[in-house]
Amino acid sequence: MSIEAIVFDLDGVIIDTEEVWEEVRRGYVAEHGKQFLPDTQTRMMGMSTGEWSTHLSAEVGVPRSPEQVAADVLGRMAERYRADLPLIPGSVDAVRRLAEVYPLALASSSARILIDQVLETAGLTGAFRTTLSTEEVPRGKPAPDVYLAATERLGFDPKVCAAVEDSSNGLRSAGAAGLAVIAVPHGVYPPAADALALAELVITSLDELTPEAVGKLR
């Protein structure tokens, strides 16, 4: 059985935004007089917009509704992206390199408005046959929903698809969906050992993400 299609994550794989997300959400929480706990960012990685905005409202205690929290934070993130899109070195080349050989999809925890803006700014809109936000499926990562939906849209069984992920919840999501998992661990937010163990291939740079490397999976 060989890999026939590939699904990319966005944050932490194509763009280096985990620190931006933390900075923006940490500042937002502080403005409302609440405390951003040590594990808050890690817990929210992979959550859908509805899930993390509810977490900040209901659990962290920001005195605004989840809908208001989401609108406020997404607005700030969009401003940051417009000012400076933090592309990960080699990410654009890796996507284009694999798109020449495999059908590609994107399965991201970012909101649809941010996904579309990133891909347009990076010149990658045409590289993906389909893109999905966890806003558009019942559950965010680590549930498998977004990967199952992405492979269904591509028209392939998950078992013949590979996922490129960086976070614990992303790795767990792709693994639970049955994809071959390629891990690109983030230097600041490395995945948990149990999540990393799900990967069939671990790479340290996107320069290593080649059709030849993918061809050796499964």
Side-chain angles (χ1 to χ4, degrees), residues 2 12 30 34 37 42-43 47 79 83 86 92 99 107-109 119 134 143 161 166 168 173 198 205-206:
S2 59
K34 299 300 178 180
L37 302 175
T42 303
R43 290 182 62 186
M47 285 186 178
E79 288 179 8
V92 172
S108 174
S109 298
L119 295 183
T134 50
C161 297
D166 69 301
S168 294
S173 174
L198 298 170
S205 166
L206 290 172

Side-chain angles (χ1 to χ4, degrees), residues 10-149:
L10 181 65
D11 294 274
V13 172
I14 295 175
I15 50 174
D16 193 6
T17 55
E18 300 297 0
E19 291 179 82
V20 180
W21 275 107
E22 178 170 359
E23 182 181 333
V24 167
R25 291 191 288 210
R26 183 184 290 274
Y28 182 73
V29 167
E31 286 175 17
H32 290 280
K34 299 300 178 180
Q35 184 178 6
F36 202 84
L37 302 175
D39 68 340
T40 297
Q41 175 66 11
T42 303
R43 290 182 62 186
M44 288 191 294
M45 289 174 71
M47 285 186 178
S48 68
T49 302
E51 289 168 339
W52 63 252
S53 60
T54 297
H55 175 75
L56 292 182
S57 176
E59 297 187 41
V60 177
V62 173
R64 292 175 68 80
S65 70
E67 292 77 16
Q68 291 171 321
V69 169
D72 292 343
V73 172
L74 292 177
R76 297 183 187 195
M77 288 297 296
E79 288 179 8
R80 293 289 293 270
Y81 285 3
R82 283 192 291 269
D84 181 23
L85 186 64
L87 287 166
I88 289 178
S91 62
V92 172
D93 287 342
V95 170
R96 290 176 175 163
R97 183 166 58 240
L98 293 179
E100 292 178 356
V101 181
Y102 298 99
L104 302 185
L106 186 79
S108 174
S109 298
S110 279
R112 167 56 59 187
I113 186 173
L114 296 182
I115 292 172
D116 292 345
Q117 182 177 325
V118 168
L119 295 183
E120 181 178 356
T121 302
L124 291 176
T125 302
F128 295 96
R129 293 196 182 181
T130 188
T131 62
L132 271 164
S133 165
T134 50
E135 291 180 333
E136 298 158 354
V137 295
R139 299 173 296 173
K141 302 172 184 179
D145 302 29
V146 72
Y147 277 102
L148 293 174

Side-chain angles (χ1 to χ4, degrees), residues 162-166 171 180-184 199-203 209 214 217:
V164 185
E165 270 285 0
D166 69 301
L171 295 167
V181 181
I182 301 170
V184 193
E200 295 186 24
L201 174 65
V202 180
I203 59 178
L209 190 57
V214 174
L217 296 173

